[in-house]
mmCIF file of all heavy atoms in Angstrom:
data_model
loop_
_atom_site.group_PDB
_atom_site.id
_atom_site.type_symbol
_atom_site.label_atom_id
_atom_site.label_comp_id
_atom_site.label_asym_id
_atom_site.label_seq_id
_atom_site.Cartn_x
_atom_site.Cartn_y
_atom_site.Cartn_z
ATOM 1 N N ASN I 1 -52.979 121.386 -18.801
ATOM 2 C CA ASN I 1 -53.377 121.107 -20.185
ATOM 3 C C ASN I 1 -54.181 122.266 -20.758
ATOM 4 O O ASN I 1 -53.984 122.669 -21.909
ATOM 5 C CB ASN I 1 -54.179 119.806 -20.275
ATOM 6 C CG ASN I 1 -53.311 118.582 -20.166
ATOM 7 O OD1 ASN I 1 -52.106 118.628 -20.411
ATOM 8 N ND2 ASN I 1 -53.915 117.465 -19.794
ATOM 9 N N VAL I 2 -55.081 122.819 -19.963
ATOM 10 C CA VAL I 2 -55.865 123.981 -20.398
ATOM 11 C C VAL I 2 -54.945 125.177 -20.627
ATOM 12 O O VAL I 2 -55.046 125.871 -21.642
ATOM 13 C CB VAL I 2 -56.968 124.325 -19.369
ATOM 14 C CG1 VAL I 2 -57.592 125.686 -19.652
ATOM 15 C CG2 VAL I 2 -58.036 123.244 -19.350
ATOM 16 N N ILE I 3 -54.050 125.417 -19.686
ATOM 17 C CA ILE I 3 -53.125 126.550 -19.827
ATOM 18 C C ILE I 3 -52.277 126.388 -21.084
ATOM 19 O O ILE I 3 -52.128 127.338 -21.861
ATOM 20 C CB ILE I 3 -52.244 126.701 -18.569
ATOM 21 C CG1 ILE I 3 -53.105 127.123 -17.373
ATOM 22 C CG2 ILE I 3 -51.124 127.714 -18.811
ATOM 23 C CD1 ILE I 3 -52.366 127.087 -16.038
ATOM 24 N N ALA I 4 -51.734 125.194 -21.301
ATOM 25 C CA ALA I 4 -50.892 124.959 -22.484
ATOM 26 C C ALA I 4 -51.690 125.131 -23.765
ATOM 27 O O ALA I 4 -51.205 125.742 -24.724
ATOM 28 C CB ALA I 4 -50.285 123.558 -22.428
ATOM 29 N N SER I 5 -52.909 124.634 -23.783
ATOM 30 C CA SER I 5 -53.753 124.730 -24.991
ATOM 31 C C SER I 5 -54.124 126.166 -25.334
ATOM 32 O O SER I 5 -54.372 126.480 -26.486
ATOM 33 C CB SER I 5 -55.038 123.927 -24.793
ATOM 34 O OG SER I 5 -54.748 122.576 -24.595
ATOM 35 N N HIS I 6 -54.169 127.005 -24.325
ATOM 36 C CA HIS I 6 -54.584 128.400 -24.524
ATOM 37 C C HIS I 6 -53.480 129.384 -24.136
ATOM 38 O O HIS I 6 -53.752 130.518 -23.774
ATOM 39 C CB HIS I 6 -55.844 128.683 -23.704
ATOM 40 C CG HIS I 6 -57.002 127.850 -24.094
ATOM 41 N ND1 HIS I 6 -57.180 126.566 -23.640
ATOM 42 C CD2 HIS I 6 -58.034 128.097 -24.935
ATOM 43 C CE1 HIS I 6 -58.277 126.058 -24.160
ATOM 44 N NE2 HIS I 6 -58.811 126.959 -24.957
ATOM 45 N N TRP I 7 -52.231 128.937 -24.204
ATOM 46 C CA TRP I 7 -51.113 129.732 -23.700
ATOM 47 C C TRP I 7 -51.032 131.117 -24.334
ATOM 48 O O TRP I 7 -50.809 132.102 -23.637
ATOM 49 C CB TRP I 7 -49.806 128.967 -23.869
ATOM 50 C CG TRP I 7 -48.627 129.699 -23.306
ATOM 51 C CD1 TRP I 7 -47.545 130.163 -23.983
ATOM 52 C CD2 TRP I 7 -48.420 130.068 -21.938
ATOM 53 N NE1 TRP I 7 -46.671 130.790 -23.131
ATOM 54 C CE2 TRP I 7 -47.190 130.746 -21.858
ATOM 55 C CE3 TRP I 7 -49.156 129.896 -20.767
ATOM 56 C CZ2 TRP I 7 -46.682 131.247 -20.668
ATOM 57 C CZ3 TRP I 7 -48.644 130.391 -19.570
ATOM 58 C CH2 TRP I 7 -47.427 131.061 -19.527
ATOM 59 N N THR I 8 -51.205 131.219 -25.632
ATOM 60 C CA THR I 8 -51.096 132.547 -26.264
ATOM 61 C C THR I 8 -52.191 133.485 -25.769
ATOM 62 O O THR I 8 -51.990 134.692 -25.719
ATOM 63 C CB THR I 8 -51.115 132.463 -27.803
ATOM 64 O OG1 THR I 8 -52.286 131.776 -28.218
ATOM 65 C CG2 THR I 8 -49.871 131.765 -28.331
ATOM 66 N N TRP I 9 -53.339 132.940 -25.373
ATOM 67 C CA TRP I 9 -54.406 133.766 -24.797
ATOM 68 C C TRP I 9 -54.094 134.075 -23.335
ATOM 69 O O TRP I 9 -54.274 135.203 -22.884
ATOM 70 C CB TRP I 9 -55.757 133.042 -24.913
ATOM 71 C CG TRP I 9 -56.871 133.804 -24.289
ATOM 72 C CD1 TRP I 9 -57.590 134.819 -24.853
ATOM 73 C CD2 TRP I 9 -57.385 133.643 -22.960
ATOM 74 N NE1 TRP I 9 -58.522 135.289 -23.959
ATOM 75 C CE2 TRP I 9 -58.416 134.584 -22.790
ATOM 76 C CE3 TRP I 9 -57.073 132.788 -21.911
ATOM 77 C CZ2 TRP I 9 -59.141 134.696 -21.609
ATOM 78 C CZ3 TRP I 9 -57.792 132.897 -20.728
ATOM 79 C CH2 TRP I 9 -58.811 133.842 -20.590
ATOM 80 N N VAL I 10 -53.622 133.079 -22.588
ATOM 81 C CA VAL I 10 -53.334 133.249 -21.157
ATOM 82 C C VAL I 10 -52.323 134.374 -20.944
ATOM 83 O O VAL I 10 -52.493 135.205 -20.053
ATOM 84 C CB VAL I 10 -52.830 131.933 -20.520
ATOM 85 C CG1 VAL I 10 -52.289 132.159 -19.109
ATOM 86 C CG2 VAL I 10 -53.938 130.884 -20.509
ATOM 87 N N ILE I 11 -51.295 134.415 -21.773
ATOM 88 C CA ILE I 11 -50.267 135.440 -21.555
ATOM 89 C C ILE I 11 -50.730 136.844 -21.941
ATOM 90 O O ILE I 11 -50.032 137.814 -21.652
ATOM 91 C CB ILE I 11 -48.932 135.098 -22.252
ATOM 92 C CG1 ILE I 11 -49.113 134.956 -23.748
ATOM 93 C CG2 ILE I 11 -48.320 133.857 -21.619
ATOM 94 C CD1 ILE I 11 -47.812 134.767 -24.515
ATOM 95 N N THR I 12 -51.906 136.953 -22.532
ATOM 96 C CA THR I 12 -52.445 138.292 -22.804
ATOM 97 C C THR I 12 -53.244 138.824 -21.621
ATOM 98 O O THR I 12 -53.614 139.995 -21.617
ATOM 99 C CB THR I 12 -53.345 138.306 -24.057
ATOM 100 O OG1 THR I 12 -54.513 137.513 -23.806
ATOM 101 C CG2 THR I 12 -52.597 137.818 -25.280
ATOM 102 N N ARG I 13 -53.508 137.986 -20.629
ATOM 103 C CA ARG I 13 -54.229 138.428 -19.426
ATOM 104 C C ARG I 13 -53.360 139.428 -18.688
ATOM 105 O O ARG I 13 -52.140 139.387 -18.776
ATOM 106 C CB ARG I 13 -54.550 137.270 -18.469
ATOM 107 C CG ARG I 13 -55.362 136.119 -19.029
ATOM 108 C CD ARG I 13 -56.748 136.489 -19.497
ATOM 109 N NE ARG I 13 -56.642 136.873 -20.899
ATOM 110 C CZ ARG I 13 -57.459 137.681 -21.551
ATOM 111 N NH1 ARG I 13 -58.477 138.221 -20.965
ATOM 112 N NH2 ARG I 13 -57.288 137.966 -22.815
ATOM 113 N N GLU I 14 -53.993 140.297 -17.927
ATOM 114 C CA GLU I 14 -53.248 141.290 -17.159
ATOM 115 C C GLU I 14 -52.232 140.626 -16.242
ATOM 116 O O GLU I 14 -51.107 141.080 -16.102
ATOM 117 C CB GLU I 14 -54.213 142.147 -16.334
ATOM 118 C CG GLU I 14 -53.522 143.273 -15.600
ATOM 119 C CD GLU I 14 -54.500 144.179 -14.886
ATOM 120 O OE1 GLU I 14 -55.640 144.316 -15.349
ATOM 121 O OE2 GLU I 14 -54.099 144.756 -13.862
ATOM 122 N N CYS I 15 -52.640 139.528 -15.615
ATOM 123 C CA CYS I 15 -51.725 138.781 -14.742
ATOM 124 C C CYS I 15 -52.009 137.294 -14.933
ATOM 125 O O CYS I 15 -52.930 136.753 -14.314
ATOM 126 C CB CYS I 15 -51.926 139.189 -13.287
ATOM 127 S SG CYS I 15 -50.765 138.357 -12.182
ATOM 128 N N PRO I 16 -51.229 136.629 -15.786
ATOM 129 C CA PRO I 16 -51.466 135.202 -16.029
ATOM 130 C C PRO I 16 -51.467 134.354 -14.751
ATOM 131 O O PRO I 16 -52.246 133.417 -14.633
ATOM 132 C CB PRO I 16 -50.320 134.799 -16.956
ATOM 133 C CG PRO I 16 -49.966 136.061 -17.669
ATOM 134 C CD PRO I 16 -50.154 137.153 -16.641
ATOM 135 N N SER I 17 -50.625 134.697 -13.794
ATOM 136 C CA SER I 17 -50.592 133.935 -12.540
ATOM 137 C C SER I 17 -51.908 134.048 -11.785
ATOM 138 O O SER I 17 -52.392 133.058 -11.234
ATOM 139 C CB SER I 17 -49.453 134.418 -11.640
ATOM 140 O OG SER I 17 -48.214 134.105 -12.216
ATOM 141 N N ALA I 18 -52.475 135.231 -11.742
ATOM 142 C CA ALA I 18 -53.760 135.412 -11.049
ATOM 143 C C ALA I 18 -54.865 134.639 -11.758
ATOM 144 O O ALA I 18 -55.697 133.993 -11.115
ATOM 145 C CB ALA I 18 -54.109 136.899 -10.972
ATOM 146 N N TRP I 19 -54.877 134.692 -13.083
ATOM 147 C CA TRP I 19 -55.894 133.957 -13.848
ATOM 148 C C TRP I 19 -55.759 132.454 -13.591
ATOM 149 O O TRP I 19 -56.757 131.777 -13.307
ATOM 150 C CB TRP I 19 -55.764 134.253 -15.344
ATOM 151 C CG TRP I 19 -56.772 133.510 -16.145
ATOM 152 C CD1 TRP I 19 -58.049 133.904 -16.428
ATOM 153 C CD2 TRP I 19 -56.609 132.212 -16.733
ATOM 154 N NE1 TRP I 19 -58.689 132.926 -17.152
ATOM 155 C CE2 TRP I 19 -57.828 131.879 -17.355
ATOM 156 C CE3 TRP I 19 -55.555 131.294 -16.787
ATOM 157 C CZ2 TRP I 19 -58.018 130.673 -18.025
ATOM 158 C CZ3 TRP I 19 -55.744 130.091 -17.448
ATOM 159 C CH2 TRP I 19 -56.971 129.789 -18.061
ATOM 160 N N ALA I 20 -54.554 131.931 -13.676
ATOM 161 C CA ALA I 20 -54.343 130.492 -13.500
ATOM 162 C C ALA I 20 -54.686 130.057 -12.072
ATOM 163 O O ALA I 20 -55.304 129.002 -11.877
ATOM 164 C CB ALA I 20 -52.896 130.133 -13.846
ATOM 165 N N TRP I 21 -54.305 130.849 -11.089
ATOM 166 C CA TRP I 21 -54.606 130.501 -9.706
ATOM 167 C C TRP I 21 -56.125 130.467 -9.479
ATOM 168 O O TRP I 21 -56.646 129.568 -8.808
ATOM 169 C CB TRP I 21 -53.939 131.463 -8.732
ATOM 170 C CG TRP I 21 -54.225 131.101 -7.310
ATOM 171 C CD1 TRP I 21 -55.035 131.751 -6.440
ATOM 172 C CD2 TRP I 21 -53.707 129.967 -6.591
ATOM 173 N NE1 TRP I 21 -55.060 131.101 -5.229
ATOM 174 C CE2 TRP I 21 -54.253 129.997 -5.304
ATOM 175 C CE3 TRP I 21 -52.843 128.927 -6.931
ATOM 176 C CZ2 TRP I 21 -53.962 129.039 -4.339
ATOM 177 C CZ3 TRP I 21 -52.555 127.974 -5.968
ATOM 178 C CH2 TRP I 21 -53.112 128.031 -4.699
ATOM 179 N N LYS I 22 -56.817 131.434 -10.014
ATOM 180 C CA LYS I 22 -58.277 131.476 -9.869
ATOM 181 C C LYS I 22 -58.909 130.229 -10.492
ATOM 182 O O LYS I 22 -59.799 129.613 -9.904
ATOM 183 C CB LYS I 22 -58.833 132.742 -10.515
ATOM 184 C CG LYS I 22 -60.304 132.936 -10.297
ATOM 185 C CD LYS I 22 -60.754 134.269 -10.875
ATOM 186 C CE LYS I 22 -62.237 134.467 -10.661
ATOM 187 N NZ LYS I 22 -62.700 135.747 -11.188
ATOM 188 N N GLU I 23 -58.446 129.842 -11.669
ATOM 189 C CA GLU I 23 -58.962 128.633 -12.320
ATOM 190 C C GLU I 23 -58.647 127.400 -11.477
ATOM 191 O O GLU I 23 -59.478 126.509 -11.326
ATOM 192 C CB GLU I 23 -58.356 128.468 -13.716
ATOM 193 C CG GLU I 23 -58.862 129.480 -14.714
ATOM 194 C CD GLU I 23 -60.367 129.417 -14.904
ATOM 195 O OE1 GLU I 23 -60.908 128.316 -15.145
ATOM 196 O OE2 GLU I 23 -61.022 130.473 -14.790
ATOM 197 N N HIS I 24 -57.449 127.362 -10.942
ATOM 198 C CA HIS I 24 -57.025 126.211 -10.135
ATOM 199 C C HIS I 24 -57.880 126.079 -8.878
ATOM 200 O O HIS I 24 -58.415 125.006 -8.592
ATOM 201 C CB HIS I 24 -55.546 126.353 -9.774
ATOM 202 C CG HIS I 24 -55.009 125.234 -8.956
ATOM 203 N ND1 HIS I 24 -55.156 123.909 -9.293
ATOM 204 C CD2 HIS I 24 -54.320 125.241 -7.783
ATOM 205 C CE1 HIS I 24 -54.580 123.144 -8.386
ATOM 206 N NE2 HIS I 24 -54.068 123.929 -7.458
ATOM 207 N N THR I 25 -58.020 127.162 -8.124
ATOM 208 C CA THR I 25 -58.775 127.094 -6.876
ATOM 209 C C THR I 25 -60.251 126.820 -7.138
ATOM 210 O O THR I 25 -60.894 126.117 -6.354
ATOM 211 C CB THR I 25 -58.598 128.367 -6.035
ATOM 212 O OG1 THR I 25 -58.984 129.515 -6.796
ATOM 213 C CG2 THR I 25 -57.155 128.510 -5.559
ATOM 214 N N ARG I 26 -60.782 127.333 -8.225
ATOM 215 C CA ARG I 26 -62.177 127.069 -8.583
ATOM 216 C C ARG I 26 -62.377 125.574 -8.873
ATOM 217 O O ARG I 26 -63.339 124.971 -8.419
ATOM 218 C CB ARG I 26 -62.582 127.906 -9.801
ATOM 219 C CG ARG I 26 -64.050 127.810 -10.122
ATOM 220 C CD ARG I 26 -64.434 128.630 -11.323
ATOM 221 N NE ARG I 26 -63.724 129.904 -11.332
ATOM 222 C CZ ARG I 26 -63.703 130.741 -12.343
ATOM 223 N NH1 ARG I 26 -64.340 130.465 -13.449
ATOM 224 N NH2 ARG I 26 -63.047 131.870 -12.279
ATOM 225 N N THR I 27 -61.461 124.994 -9.615
ATOM 226 C CA THR I 27 -61.546 123.565 -9.947
ATOM 227 C C THR I 27 -61.410 122.702 -8.697
ATOM 228 O O THR I 27 -62.176 121.762 -8.495
ATOM 229 C CB THR I 27 -60.453 123.197 -10.975
ATOM 230 O OG1 THR I 27 -60.650 123.974 -12.147
ATOM 231 C CG2 THR I 27 -60.501 121.724 -11.319
ATOM 232 N N VAL I 28 -60.448 123.021 -7.856
ATOM 233 C CA VAL I 28 -60.242 122.255 -6.627
ATOM 234 C C VAL I 28 -61.471 122.378 -5.723
ATOM 235 O O VAL I 28 -61.936 121.387 -5.161
ATOM 236 C CB VAL I 28 -58.953 122.695 -5.903
ATOM 237 C CG1 VAL I 28 -58.854 122.080 -4.510
ATOM 238 C CG2 VAL I 28 -57.728 122.328 -6.740
ATOM 239 N N ALA I 29 -62.009 123.573 -5.596
ATOM 240 C CA ALA I 29 -63.202 123.781 -4.756
ATOM 241 C C ALA I 29 -64.380 122.962 -5.274
ATOM 242 O O ALA I 29 -65.117 122.354 -4.491
ATOM 243 C CB ALA I 29 -63.554 125.261 -4.707
ATOM 244 N N ARG I 30 -64.555 122.953 -6.575
ATOM 245 C CA ARG I 30 -65.652 122.189 -7.175
ATOM 246 C C ARG I 30 -65.469 120.697 -6.875
ATOM 247 O O ARG I 30 -66.414 120.009 -6.499
ATOM 248 C CB ARG I 30 -65.715 122.452 -8.675
ATOM 249 C CG ARG I 30 -66.933 121.887 -9.338
ATOM 250 C CD ARG I 30 -67.112 122.326 -10.787
ATOM 251 N NE ARG I 30 -65.921 122.153 -11.605
ATOM 252 C CZ ARG I 30 -65.215 123.153 -12.143
ATOM 253 N NH1 ARG I 30 -65.570 124.399 -11.961
ATOM 254 N NH2 ARG I 30 -64.150 122.896 -12.875
ATOM 255 N N ARG I 31 -64.263 120.197 -7.011
ATOM 256 C CA ARG I 31 -63.992 118.779 -6.741
ATOM 257 C C ARG I 31 -64.140 118.458 -5.253
ATOM 258 O O ARG I 31 -64.572 117.369 -4.887
ATOM 259 C CB ARG I 31 -62.589 118.399 -7.205
ATOM 260 C CG ARG I 31 -62.452 118.284 -8.703
ATOM 261 C CD ARG I 31 -60.997 117.969 -9.074
ATOM 262 N NE ARG I 31 -60.844 117.760 -10.483
ATOM 263 C CZ ARG I 31 -61.003 116.584 -11.095
ATOM 264 N NH1 ARG I 31 -61.326 115.524 -10.403
ATOM 265 N NH2 ARG I 31 -60.843 116.491 -12.393
ATOM 266 N N ALA I 32 -63.768 119.392 -4.394
ATOM 267 C CA ALA I 32 -63.825 119.168 -2.946
ATOM 268 C C ALA I 32 -65.220 119.380 -2.380
ATOM 269 O O ALA I 32 -65.522 118.925 -1.274
ATOM 270 C CB ALA I 32 -62.827 120.091 -2.241
ATOM 271 N N GLY I 33 -66.055 120.113 -3.108
ATOM 272 C CA GLY I 33 -67.393 120.407 -2.605
ATOM 273 C C GLY I 33 -67.411 121.498 -1.554
ATOM 274 O O GLY I 33 -68.354 121.623 -0.778
ATOM 275 N N HIS I 34 -66.365 122.307 -1.507
ATOM 276 C CA HIS I 34 -66.249 123.390 -0.521
ATOM 277 C C HIS I 34 -65.418 124.516 -1.132
ATOM 278 O O HIS I 34 -64.342 124.263 -1.670
ATOM 279 C CB HIS I 34 -65.570 122.882 0.750
ATOM 280 C CG HIS I 34 -65.153 123.966 1.689
ATOM 281 N ND1 HIS I 34 -66.052 124.706 2.420
ATOM 282 C CD2 HIS I 34 -63.935 124.447 2.009
ATOM 283 C CE1 HIS I 34 -65.397 125.595 3.146
ATOM 284 N NE2 HIS I 34 -64.104 125.455 2.911
ATOM 285 N N THR I 35 -65.920 125.733 -1.021
ATOM 286 C CA THR I 35 -65.188 126.886 -1.534
ATOM 287 C C THR I 35 -64.612 127.679 -0.370
ATOM 288 O O THR I 35 -65.343 128.389 0.322
ATOM 289 C CB THR I 35 -66.110 127.791 -2.384
ATOM 290 O OG1 THR I 35 -66.672 127.009 -3.430
ATOM 291 C CG2 THR I 35 -65.335 128.961 -2.969
ATOM 292 N N PRO I 36 -63.311 127.549 -0.127
ATOM 293 C CA PRO I 36 -62.699 128.313 0.961
ATOM 294 C C PRO I 36 -62.576 129.790 0.593
ATOM 295 O O PRO I 36 -62.591 130.160 -0.578
ATOM 296 C CB PRO I 36 -61.319 127.677 1.114
ATOM 297 C CG PRO I 36 -61.043 127.019 -0.188
ATOM 298 C CD PRO I 36 -62.365 126.692 -0.810
ATOM 299 N N THR I 37 -62.440 130.621 1.606
ATOM 300 C CA THR I 37 -62.231 132.044 1.364
ATOM 301 C C THR I 37 -60.790 132.271 0.908
ATOM 302 O O THR I 37 -59.931 131.398 1.074
ATOM 303 C CB THR I 37 -62.474 132.869 2.645
ATOM 304 O OG1 THR I 37 -61.468 132.517 3.602
ATOM 305 C CG2 THR I 37 -63.873 132.628 3.213
ATOM 306 N N LEU I 38 -60.538 133.447 0.370
ATOM 307 C CA LEU I 38 -59.161 133.798 -0.003
ATOM 308 C C LEU I 38 -58.246 133.749 1.213
ATOM 309 O O LEU I 38 -57.100 133.308 1.125
ATOM 310 C CB LEU I 38 -59.119 135.196 -0.632
ATOM 311 C CG LEU I 38 -59.798 135.365 -1.988
ATOM 312 C CD1 LEU I 38 -59.807 136.827 -2.397
ATOM 313 C CD2 LEU I 38 -59.102 134.522 -3.032
ATOM 314 N N ALA I 39 -58.765 134.196 2.350
ATOM 315 C CA ALA I 39 -57.958 134.183 3.573
ATOM 316 C C ALA I 39 -57.641 132.746 3.997
ATOM 317 O O ALA I 39 -56.513 132.453 4.407
ATOM 318 C CB ALA I 39 -58.693 134.935 4.692
#
């Protein structure tokens, strides 16, 4: 929903996939109460 609402801005990012993945993992980590490493 966030991506769709801001799609014209998201596609101006250097790499929309990297931006979206970072947002996704940040949200999941916050909900889980644990921030895993990239590895």
Side-chain angles (χ1 to χ4, degrees):
N1 284 338
V2 168
I3 293 171
S5 298
H6 299 82
W7 183 243
T8 56
W9 177 83
V10 170
I11 60 174
T12 66
R13 303 298 89 205
E14 185 175 331
C15 183
S17 293
W19 179 86
W21 181 252
K22 186 175 180 179
E23 289 300 309
H24 180 51
T25 57
R26 187 180 321 170
T27 300
V28 170
R30 189 171 50 246
R31 286 177 176 272
H34 168 71
T35 303
T37 66
L38 293 174

